[in-house]
């Protein structure tokens, strides 16, 4: 979101109507008027438009993806296809995506780190998800046959070793991306992009209720995005006048 506007393209009436809608819907809380006032209305409008297309019905779990380029590319694909949350189990390397490669998607996608693959899968299953691993096996179903009516986690493994046996044992099933060439595998970033395009496109048409984010999640995410979008000078003012809110949203006190 490389915004550099100094004058809003929205009329005063449009700005007033948008603010009223945000407050009436609960997407913006009264206590966050100060935060809202520090941003261009056009920018907040864009955030609202993106939020309306976001989902946690489909999410991703990566296991031991070490290459920061791949970490970044998966984040970028998640953002591009409207997936709000990425779940991560670190491998030999820390999860440190390259913001340039990710095109700042790391600012807009929630990342949840789990201590182990078993904990991650158990946590996601308890939250109502089916967990499907990418793996070549006799039981694997083609990507287009994945049942997207259910909340679904797509599990991707390490660049060199794939999904671990521990993860495969706990997953609900496997899927594969059908290929017609000699090569029978894809880089994780490519596989994630293809998979997300397919499942999100189908899920939008299949899931009529519950595909979008919950109201409370939208409110939290909008505020988080607004904080992250503040120019440095405005961020300093916000920290002085709304330090408690700032610490709650960012985990930082300065």
């Amino acid at each position: 979101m490389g915004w550099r506007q100094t004058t809003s393209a929205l009329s005063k009436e449009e700005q007033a109507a948008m603010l009223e809608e945000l407050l009436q819907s609960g997407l913006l809380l009264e206590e966050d008027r100060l935060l809202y006032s520090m941003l261009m209305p056009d920018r907040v409008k864009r955030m609202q438009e993106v939020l309306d297309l976001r989902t946690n019905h489909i999410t991703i779990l990566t296991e031991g993806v070490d290459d920061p380029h791949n970490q970044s590319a998966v984040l970028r694909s998640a953002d591009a296809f409207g997936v709000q949350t990425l779940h991560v189990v670190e491998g030999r390397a820390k999860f440190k995506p390259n913001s340039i490669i990710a095109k700042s998607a790391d600012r807009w996608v929630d990342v949840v780190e789990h201590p182990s693959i078993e904990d991650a899968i158990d946590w996601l299953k308890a939250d109502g998800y089916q967990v499907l691993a990418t793996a070549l096996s006799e039981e694997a179903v083609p990507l287009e046959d994945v049942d997207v009516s259910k909340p679904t986690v797509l599990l991707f493994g390490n660049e060199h070793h794939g999904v671990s046996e521990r993860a495969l044992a706990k997953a609900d099933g496997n899927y594969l991306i059908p290929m017609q060439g000699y090569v029978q595998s894809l880089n994780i970033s490519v596989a994630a992009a293809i998979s997300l395009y397919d499942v999100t496109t189908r899920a939008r048409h299949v899931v009529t209720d519950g595909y979008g984010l919950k109201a409370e999640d939208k409110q939290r995410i909008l505020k988080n995005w607004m904080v992250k979008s503040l120019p440095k000078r405005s961020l300093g003012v916000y920290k002085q006048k709304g330090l408690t809110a700032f610490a709650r949203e960012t985990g930082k006190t300065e």
Side-chain angles (χ1 to χ4, degrees), residues 142-250:
L143 173 61
E144 60 267 26
D145 290 342
V146 168
D147 182 2
V148 295
S149 67
K150 303 175 182 177
T152 301
V153 177
L154 303 180
L155 168 57
F156 298 93
N158 176 267
E159 294 92 339
H160 305 294
H161 308 297
V163 178
S164 70
E165 292 298 327
R166 292 177 298 139
L168 289 173
K170 292 191 74 73
D172 295 302
N174 309 332
Y175 80 92
L176 55 80
I177 300 173
M179 300 177 217
Q180 284 75 49
Y182 288 108
V183 175
Q184 290 299 304
S185 64
L186 295 168
N187 178 275
I188 176 182
S189 62
V190 177
I194 293 172
S195 300
L196 286 178
Y197 173 75
D198 177 85
V199 297
T200 57
T201 298
R202 290 192 290 119
R204 283 194 190 95
H205 294 92
V206 171
V207 183
T208 56
D209 184 29
Y211 182 78
L213 296 175
K214 297 177 181 178
E216 59 268 26
D217 289 332
K218 293 176 74 172
Q219 188 278 321
R220 172 186 59 81
I221 294 165
L222 176 64
K223 183 170 184 176
N224 188 32
W225 285 359
M226 288 195 294
V227 169
K228 290 180 177 179
S229 299
L230 287 175
K232 289 185 178 179
R233 182 177 299 179
S234 298
L235 182 59
V237 173
Y238 180 59
K239 287 164 65 177
Q240 290 176 354
K241 295 185 177 181
L243 184 57
T244 301
F246 174 79
R248 182 171 67 248
E249 294 305 317
T250 65

Side-chain angles (χ1 to χ4, degrees), residues 34-49:
L34 170 64
L35 177 57
Y36 173 85
S37 69
M38 293 179 169
L39 294 167
M40 290 291 295
D42 309 58
R43 189 163 196 175
V44 180
K45 183 175 185 293
R46 176 58 178 155
M47 292 177 187
Q48 183 182 12
E49 292 170 346

Side-chain angles (χ1 to χ4, degrees), residues 15-229:
Q15 292 181 40
M18 184 180 77
L19 177 57
E20 182 65 22
E21 178 189 347
L22 289 171
L23 290 169
Q24 288 292 329
S25 67
L27 191 56
L28 180 72
L29 302 181
E30 283 287 347
E31 66 188 60
D32 295 323
R33 275 179 177 263
L34 170 64
L35 177 57
Y36 173 85
S37 69
M38 293 179 169
L39 294 167
M40 290 291 295
D42 309 58
R43 189 163 196 175
V44 180
K45 183 175 185 293
R46 176 58 178 155
M47 292 177 187
Q48 183 182 12
E49 292 170 346
V50 172
L51 271 176
D52 286 341
L53 298 174
R54 282 298 214 238
T55 188
N56 275 325
H57 181 81
I58 303 295
T59 191
I60 304 171
L61 171 59
T62 63
E63 180 193 19
V65 176
D66 294 328
D67 188 334
H69 286 72
N70 286 333
Q71 296 172 358
S72 305
V74 172
L75 264 174
R76 188 171 172 180
S77 292
D79 177 72
F81 296 113
V83 173
Q84 182 56 35
T85 306
L86 170 65
H87 296 266
V88 173
V89 175
E90 292 182 340
R92 299 180 64 181
K94 297 290 290 182
F95 184 78
K96 293 182 65 175
N98 184 310
S99 187
I100 295 176
I101 297 171
K103 295 294 183 181
S104 297
D106 49 323
R107 299 179 66 191
W108 317 121
V109 175
D110 294 332
V111 176
V112 179
E113 296 188 19
H114 299 269
S116 70
I117 193 62
E118 291 90 350
D119 287 335
I121 294 176
D122 286 343
W123 190 90
L124 288 161
K125 284 186 176 182
D127 203 30
Y129 285 97
Q130 63 172 344
V131 179
L132 302 180
T134 53
L136 291 173
S137 70
E138 293 182 1
E139 298 80 19
V141 300
L143 173 61
E144 60 267 26
D145 290 342
V146 168
D147 182 2
V148 295
S149 67
K150 303 175 182 177
T152 301
V153 177
L154 303 180
L155 168 57
F156 298 93
N158 176 267
E159 294 92 339
H160 305 294
H161 308 297
V163 178
S164 70
E165 292 298 327
R166 292 177 298 139
L168 289 173
K170 292 191 74 73
D172 295 302
N174 309 332
Y175 80 92
L176 55 80
I177 300 173
M179 300 177 217
Q180 284 75 49
Y182 288 108
V183 175
Q184 290 299 304
S185 64
L186 295 168
N187 178 275
I188 176 182
S189 62
V190 177
I194 293 172
S195 300
L196 286 178
Y197 173 75
D198 177 85
V199 297
T200 57
T201 298
R202 290 192 290 119
R204 283 194 190 95
H205 294 92
V206 171
V207 183
T208 56
D209 184 29
Y211 182 78
L213 296 175
K214 297 177 181 178
E216 59 268 26
D217 289 332
K218 293 176 74 172
Q219 188 278 321
R220 172 186 59 81
I221 294 165
L222 176 64
K223 183 170 184 176
N224 188 32
W225 285 359
M226 288 195 294
V227 169
K228 290 180 177 179
S229 299

